[in-house]
Amino acid sequence: MNPTEQKTLKRIKEGDIKQFEIVFKEFYQSLCNFAVKYVKNIEQAEEVVQDTFYNIWKNKAELNIITSFKSYLYSAVRNNCLQVLRVRSLDIKYENYYKSHYNNDSVDPVDEINAKELSNVIDKALSTLPERCRIIFKMSRDEGFKYHEIAEKLSISIKTVEANMGKALKHFRIYLKDYAEAV
Amino acid sequence: MKTNGNIDYWSLMAKYYANECSNEEVNELNSWISENPENEILFYQVKEDLENINLSKSMKKVNVDLAWDKVKNRIQETETEEPRVESKVKIFKMAGILKYAAAIILLVAIGFFSAKMYQSYSKLNVYAENTEQGKVVTLPDGSVVTLNSDSKLVYPKKFAQNERRVVLEGEAFFDVSKNPEYPFIIETKNAEVKVLGTTFNVNAKYPGDQVEVFVATGLVQLSEIQNTENKILISPGDVGVIQDKSISKSQNQDLNRIAWKTKEFVFKETYISDVISTLNRAYNTSITCNDDNILNLRYTVTFRNQEIESIVNVMARTFDLKIEQSENEIKLVKKSI
């Protein structure tokens, strides 16, 4: 832990809620992105992250962070996600599957997550798509245009729209393959 | 679609998931999927990819400030409760604060009652009505509700397993026993109020289909009754307003919002016309004044736990007015010279 973080930790342990708010706001979004990978639903992800922070504050007197805030928070959120999944899965096999895959508390998750947050992966995939392909994909998926409408607006053939949509899916598959395997 | 005898299955899948496939193309896709298991896996992976892309879009909508408010409120709730066991002096002080914790005021249409309330009023339900002020009702979970005048409440003899739901018309102050796993929900004409805190006040006395929620401390969720996804969280000091389908919130400006219950009035440079309407609302009285010269005067005063008669007397003396009292009305007039 660096000296700045040590100072922050000390203040939080003394009950400085302003410091706690700063830490919360710094990590909230990325922790939600991280949690959603496990729980597959943004509301639940937010709930898990909020619970994690709430419990940290509640037990702040015993709070002991050796590595870094980031590392600590990601571990805590991951453990809570696993708890949610455990509760969710009544199927023993499913539970065992999760245990064997995730329940390795000794691993610092930070290293494996940096490049692997879902929205990062998708943003990266989007940004590396050829421009026309990206425009077509967004018009179809985000704006809900039909193929013939896209063709009309961009003065291209429907065949070109079809081909570009296929190209985009293939492109995403390549990027998301790594993401899915990391989970 | 065919290039060198190979189907461009990526385009075909994209087309399928965009609902653009013809029947013929769906058949084509089906036979490709059944050709070998890898194709099938790929077909579902692509579906998952598209779902993940949607998920990533929804993740960008995470509201960090709102999330922090939620956590902070939870923290404050538990911290304000802790001193209750520590010292008697603190308990006494806390009682005053808790009385206003999560105070809510709801304004709903009167017409609502006849339809919805009677529907809910069955043998299993209890119906409480108050024509005067300050009737206290204890709910099956130990929560205490103080009903204002002309107010009605329906609640079950025994609450459901998963939630505590009541129907209200009129105005009431709720002191809800805390249990986060067991949410307390108030139904009104077009709004549903979910209480995430501990105590609050509800008013549903005013005509019109507007619902207003005021929170002093704690956290309350206000939503459309037909569509609870259309919701906002209301934090301490804020007033949430729902009208038709639009929900908004702003900072509370009315110092006397729950004065009907507390009988504490704070007027600061307030027009007499507003003072009179606030008092009428709180005491269910009919104080009137037709003289614009009086109505446009401004009044700065605080009243605490006084009978309405004594308040009116103080006003009369302050502004040198005469009180004309009849059976149903208190009229303020200029003293004749």
Side-chain angles (χ1 to χ4, degrees):
Chain A
M1 236 183 159
N2 67 42
T4 320
E5 287 207 328
Q6 271 170 8
K7 218 183 266 175
T8 307
L9 178 65
K10 189 165 169 277
R11 287 209 183 139
I12 289 171
K13 281 168 79 83
E14 286 164 0
D16 185 342
I17 198 158
K18 275 274 160 227
Q19 283 297 326
F20 192 59
E21 179 176 356
I22 291 166
V23 174
F24 180 95
K25 289 188 173 170
E26 185 184 341
F27 290 107
Y28 187 75
Q29 174 79 62
S30 54
L31 286 169
C32 286
N33 295 351
F34 176 61
V36 84
K37 197 160 127 179
Y38 293 95
V39 296
K40 300 278 179 205
N41 147 347
I42 190 66
E43 284 81 19
Q44 185 120 45
E46 284 202 75
E47 215 169 279
V48 168
V49 177
Q50 286 172 24
D51 281 351
T52 306
F53 274 101
Y54 173 73
N55 286 319
I56 289 173
W57 180 264
K58 216 170 75 180
N59 303 313
K60 59 184 180 296
E62 290 88 48
L63 190 61
N64 188 16
I65 302 174
I66 300 152
T67 49
S68 68
F69 272 112
K70 189 173 181 180
S71 174
Y72 182 86
L73 288 168
Y74 274 92
S75 296
V77 166
R78 186 178 62 170
N79 289 339
N80 288 341
C81 284
L82 296 177
Q83 185 57 38
V84 168
L85 293 177
R86 252 172 246 136
V87 172
R88 218 192 256 173
S89 62
L90 298 168
D91 187 344
I92 300 284
K93 266 196 281 183
Y94 194 60
E95 193 186 312
N96 287 337
Y97 170 79
Y98 273 105
K99 266 187 194 157
S100 64
H101 276 72
Y102 302 135
N103 210 2
N104 188 353
D105 292 344
S106 61
V107 174
D108 182 345
V110 173
D111 299 332
E112 55 178 296
I113 44 148
N114 279 339
K116 286 168 190 159
E117 281 169 15
L118 180 60
S119 47
N120 288 349
V121 174
I122 285 163
D123 285 348
K124 184 129 194 260
L126 260 178
S127 67
T128 48
L129 267 181
E131 196 186 355
R132 189 165 69 167
C133 192
R134 183 171 65 242
I135 291 167
I136 293 168
F137 185 78
K138 283 198 151 183
M139 284 177 85
S140 169
R141 297 293 304 177
D142 295 354
E143 292 156 52
F145 287 115
K146 305 297 286 177
Y147 278 16
H148 72 87
E149 291 171 324
I150 299 170
E152 217 169 275
K153 278 182 189 284
L154 300 180
S155 308
I156 52 176
S157 72
I158 292 181
K159 280 275 162 237
T160 309
V161 177
E162 287 177 0
N164 275 286
M165 286 297 288
K167 201 167 151 188
L169 283 197
K170 192 173 178 179
H171 184 81
F172 275 110
R173 182 85 286 269
I174 292 163
Y175 275 82
L176 284 163
K177 200 178 165 207
D178 295 334
Y179 166 78
E181 277 165 10
V183 171
Chain B
M1 262 341 256
K2 287 186 183 182
T3 44
N4 303 330
N6 292 318
I7 299 172
D8 178 3
Y9 50 85
W10 288 105
S11 297
L12 196 51
M13 281 191 287
K15 220 173 165 186
Y16 176 80
Y17 288 122
N19 285 327
E20 298 259 357
C21 274
S22 66
N23 287 342
E24 197 189 316
E25 284 167 331
V26 172
N27 290 338
E28 205 172 353
L29 189 61
N30 264 327
S31 58
W32 173 75
I33 288 168
S34 50
E35 235 169 59
N36 90 48
E38 274 170 33
N39 292 355
E40 191 178 350
I41 290 169
L42 184 61
F43 179 74
Y44 289 110
Q45 278 174 337
V46 166
K47 186 177 180 220
E48 210 178 286
D49 289 349
L50 289 170
E51 283 168 359
N52 276 330
I53 292 164
N54 286 341
L55 194 61
S56 130
K57 262 185 274 162
S58 75
M59 265 163 14
K60 299 208 166 99
K61 290 187 200 139
V62 167
N63 184 336
V64 180
D65 290 328
L66 187 72
W68 170 248
D69 283 349
K70 267 181 161 177
V71 172
K72 199 169 89 181
N73 276 304
R74 272 177 76 187
I75 287 170
Q76 282 169 348
E77 263 165 37
T78 45
E79 287 183 354
T80 47
E81 279 186 357
E82 275 160 15
R84 295 174 92 174
V85 289
E86 283 173 18
S87 87
K88 282 203 169 177
V89 181
K90 272 186 184 166
I91 295 167
F92 192 73
K93 275 187 192 161
M94 287 306 300
I97 297 163
L98 285 172
K99 209 184 282 177
Y100 311 106
I104 302 171
I105 301 213
L106 295 182
L107 319 177
V108 295
I110 298 297
F112 169 60
F113 187 80
S114 45
K116 182 73 190 179
M117 295 280 278
Y118 284 119
Q119 190 191 318
S120 351
Y121 179 48
S122 71
K123 278 181 186 166
L124 287 173
N125 291 330
V126 183
Y127 166 89
E129 186 174 14
N130 188 25
T131 48
E132 291 164 20
Q133 275 181 19
K135 178 173 180 166
V136 177
V137 182
T138 305
L139 301 181
D141 66 332
S143 298
V144 177
V145 184
T146 313
L147 281 175
N148 198 359
S149 55
D150 303 316
S151 301
K152 292 144 192 171
L153 180 80
V154 170
Y155 58 96
K157 279 181 182 154
K158 194 170 175 245
F159 281 121
Q161 292 281 319
N162 53 343
E163 62 179 27
R164 295 170 284 177
R165 190 176 282 269
V166 301
V167 184
L168 177 103
E169 186 225 302
E171 180 168 23
F173 187 95
F174 286 77
D175 189 339
V176 171
S177 58
K178 193 181 165 77
N179 188 345
E181 254 106 77
Y182 195 28
F184 196 97
I185 298 162
I186 308 149
E187 273 186 37
T188 71
K189 184 184 181 180
N190 57 339
E192 187 177 286
V193 181
K194 197 170 181 182
V195 181
L196 311 167
T198 48
T199 64
F200 54 98
N201 175 71
V202 177
N203 174 1
K205 290 190 78 174
Y206 296 85
D209 63 356
Q210 174 176 305
V211 174
E212 224 177 85
V213 178
F214 165 61
V215 179
T217 70
L219 194 64
V220 161
Q221 177 184 299
L222 172 65
S223 66
E224 229 187 295
I225 199 158
Q226 299 296 348
N227 173 20
T228 50
E229 281 308 298
N230 183 15
K231 64 189 175 190
I232 52 167
L233 285 174
I234 305 158
S235 312
D238 284 349
V239 183
V241 178
I242 176 165
Q243 185 139 33
D244 289 330
K245 287 178 173 18
S246 81
I247 309 183
S248 59
K249 65 173 168 180
S250 59
Q251 221 179 354
N252 176 44
Q253 305 291 345
D254 184 358
L255 296 169
N256 299 309
R257 205 169 272 280
I258 50 171
W260 74 270
K261 153 84 179 163
T262 62
K263 294 293 183 289
E264 287 189 18
F265 298 87
V266 180
F267 297 112
K268 283 180 184 162
E269 291 290 303
T270 314
Y271 285 111
I272 292 292
S273 55
D274 294 333
V275 172
I276 288 175
S277 64
T278 300
L279 292 173
N280 278 337
R281 187 154 77 81
Y283 286 93
N284 198 29
T285 48
S286 174
I287 305 165
T288 60
C289 177
N290 300 326
D291 190 334
D292 280 345
N293 291 325
I294 300 172
L295 291 172
N296 287 327
L297 292 169
R298 285 172 181 265
Y299 198 14
T300 298
V301 70
T302 304
F303 294 113
R304 238 178 234 115
N305 274 321
Q306 292 191 37
E307 297 295 319
I308 185 64
E309 290 77 11
S310 97
I311 293 177
V312 174
N313 280 331
V314 172
M315 280 174 72
R317 254 181 286 138
T318 309
F319 296 101
D320 205 20
L321 306 171
K322 203 173 92 181
I323 301 164
E324 287 179 359
Q325 185 145 15
S326 62
E327 202 183 321
N328 306 315
E329 199 182 72
I330 304 168
K331 197 169 182 183
L332 290 170
V333 293
K334 253 200 187 129
K335 269 190 180 162
S336 43
I337 304 156

